[in-house]
Structures are given as structure tokens and as C-alpha cells.
Amino acid sequence: MPTAAHVVVSGPGGCGKTALLRDLGERFTVVDDAHLQSDEVIAWQAGDRRLFAIGQRVPHRNRRLDEAVRDLGPDVVRIRLGPLRQDQVAGCVRERVGTEVTGDEASALFDRTGGVPAFLLSAVSSDPIGSLAPVLDAFAPGVRRLVSALALGAPLDRDLLGAALDLDAAALMLAVDGARAASALRPDGTLVPIVAQACRALTDPGQCAATLRDLVAAHRGRRQPIRRLAVSLLESPIAAMGQAELLVAAGREAMGGRPGPRGAVARRGR
């Protein structure tokens, strides 16, 4: 690494980019969040040893950045960051925290955190939920609303979420991209469990109840499983009133019954 003339670092949030930039910052001209920078910031300067840090899933590519990276030529090191594998979790905890974990504990931590290093360190801290508050606070408003809906049991269904959150297709896509870029979404479109838990715990109960009501309203007339929303409704500190029909439909769904009135649905096919 010390002999590299240029470095390009890419990957989602929470996977070590900040620590890497801190380690390399004295040896390179750092262009952090390079995909968001102006042409003047990105512009090539002869003699610079550049370190470009690029976020994941940028909705609108920065052509000037692409050109600048191409102009770096062959003397460049590219580093792609990402979540840890399950077999790397124990080593990370040992190295970063000085704690030994068993194989079963490492497996549970991987399932809870998706292997994202920042979430993993939160999970083994003295305040796993509170330590994630800055992560949630950094979300753009649309991302936070999306994450809140998913944390309450909504599926990653763009029509449903667009209607429930009052977001058009473009705004919803930006929110999904933002959640992925923050490592909050797993490949299957569900939230990383520790992020979902933190979001439920740190979001105002009244706002949670309002989001649930909007999701229930958007579900009406749609052929989708509704049981997870019903469970979330029952667990909400502020239960939405007038949703008996939802609970009846969810009960029928759990028993394999036929759809209830107004679009409540039975289970999907086996």
C-alpha cells in the first residue's frame, strides 16, 4: 500500500471506510464521498497521490469521477469493502474488542448484524441500541421513513411502500438506494435485525403507530400477506384503533383460511 500512487476505496457504509481513510489520509489527497463532489474537487492535479472514497449504489453516476479514476492509469490500488463473512466475525471481535466469542455466539452475531463491522461492534458494546442512534439520525428523511416501515413488518414492495409513505417511484428508489448504501438492507430486501430493533426502539411510538395505520390502509385491497403487520400492530406501544378486521384477516391467514373482506389475504401458495 505505501508504494501505491493512487487508491480507490468503494463499498457501503459501516464497512470500515472511515477507519481506512484515517489510516491513509496522511499519505494521500483524500476525496471522500467522491461521487457527491463537484468537478472542481475531483479535477486532476499533477503530482497528487489521490485516494477516492466512493459510496455504494449511487443513483446518478458522476461522469467526471469516472474520468478521473480512468486517468489514474495502472498505478492504482482498488479496495472493495463489504460485510464480513460468518467465519470472520470472531476474529473481528477479538481484534477490535479483545473478546473471545464461541462459534455459536459468532453465528448469532452474524445473523443479527449481517456481518457489517460497525453493526457488529455496536452489538458487542454496552449499549447496542443506543450506539446506533447516530446511524439512524444520519439517514435522509425518506430513508428513515422507509426503514421505519420495514422495521414494523412491511415487505420491500414498492407499490405498497410508495402508497403508504406517499413517495413517488423516484423518491422511493432513492430511499432504497440510501438504505442499501448504509448497509441497512440485507440482499433479500429485509432489514438487518439490529437496525430494525434500533429503529423500533428509537422511533417515537406515535410515529410508529401512524406508520402502521398508513401501511394497513395501503394493504387494503391488495393480495399480500398481512400477518406481520398485525403482529407489529399488537406490539405497538400505541395501538391503532379500529383495526379488528386486520387482526381477523391475519388470524385467517395464519390458519390457512381464505381472504377476509376488503382484500385481506390468505397465505401465499406453498
Side-chain angles (χ1 to χ4, degrees):
M1 182 68 69
T3 61
H6 311 289
V7 178
V8 176
V9 180
S10 61
C15 292
K17 184 183 70 171
T18 299
L20 186 59
L21 297 189
R22 185 170 56 246
D23 291 342
L24 300 178
E26 294 183 359
R27 287 175 276 171
F28 295 88
T29 298
V30 176
V31 184
D32 196 6
D33 288 330
H35 52 286
L36 303 177
Q37 302 297 340
S38 65
D39 289 353
E40 290 75 15
V41 172
I42 294 172
W44 174 256
Q45 297 178 16
D48 275 358
R49 299 179 72 209
R50 287 290 178 106
L51 190 160
F52 288 106
I54 304 171
Q56 179 179 337
R57 292 183 62 86
V58 183
H60 304 290
R61 294 193 62 84
N62 187 319
R63 293 183 180 179
R64 183 67 189 91
L65 173 61
D66 291 342
E67 294 171 0
V69 171
R70 284 197 301 268
D71 289 345
L72 296 178
D75 193 12
V76 58
V77 171
R78 287 176 168 79
I79 301 175
R80 173 68 182 175
L81 301 174
L84 301 173
R85 301 189 308 270
Q86 182 171 326
D87 61 1
Q88 296 174 314
V89 167
C92 177
V93 174
R94 183 187 311 114
E95 178 182 346
R96 300 291 296 275
V97 185
T99 300
E100 294 289 341
V101 296
T102 67
D104 288 344
E105 290 170 337
S107 177
L109 283 170
F110 179 80
D111 291 341
R112 188 182 182 196
T113 67
V116 178
F119 301 161
L120 178 61
L121 295 179
S122 289
V124 297
S125 73
S126 60
D127 185 9
I129 300 304
S131 65
L132 286 177
V135 175
L136 299 182
D137 290 343
F139 288 165
V143 176
R144 182 60 185 267
R145 292 172 63 197
L146 169 69
V147 169
S148 294
L150 297 178
L152 291 170
L156 188 58
D157 180 287
R158 295 183 180 181
D159 291 337
L160 170 67
L161 292 170
L165 304 178
D166 194 24
L167 295 174
D168 62 26
L172 183 60
M173 178 64 73
L174 285 174
V176 172
D177 284 340
R180 291 195 187 281
S183 297
L185 284 183
R186 295 187 290 191
D188 65 359
T190 60
L191 282 183
V192 172
I194 195 171
V195 175
Q197 183 183 6
C199 189
R200 290 192 296 268
L202 298 175
T203 301
D204 177 74
Q207 184 176 342
C208 287
T211 300
L212 277 169
R213 285 193 292 269
D214 291 340
L215 286 167
V216 169
H219 253 294
R220 295 185 186 281
R222 297 177 54 85
R223 304 287 302 179
Q224 291 186 334
I226 204 166
R227 189 173 11 164
R228 289 181 63 190
L229 284 180
V231 171
S232 293
L233 178 62
L234 289 173
E235 293 177 346
S236 176
I238 301 179
M241 301 302 293
Q243 301 299 342
E245 181 181 331
L246 167 71
L247 301 180
V248 170
R252 289 181 176 177
E253 178 185 308
M255 298 179 65
R258 293 185 175 183
R262 300 176 65 181
V265 300
R267 263 186 322 203
R268 284 178 177 157
R270 300 179 189 272

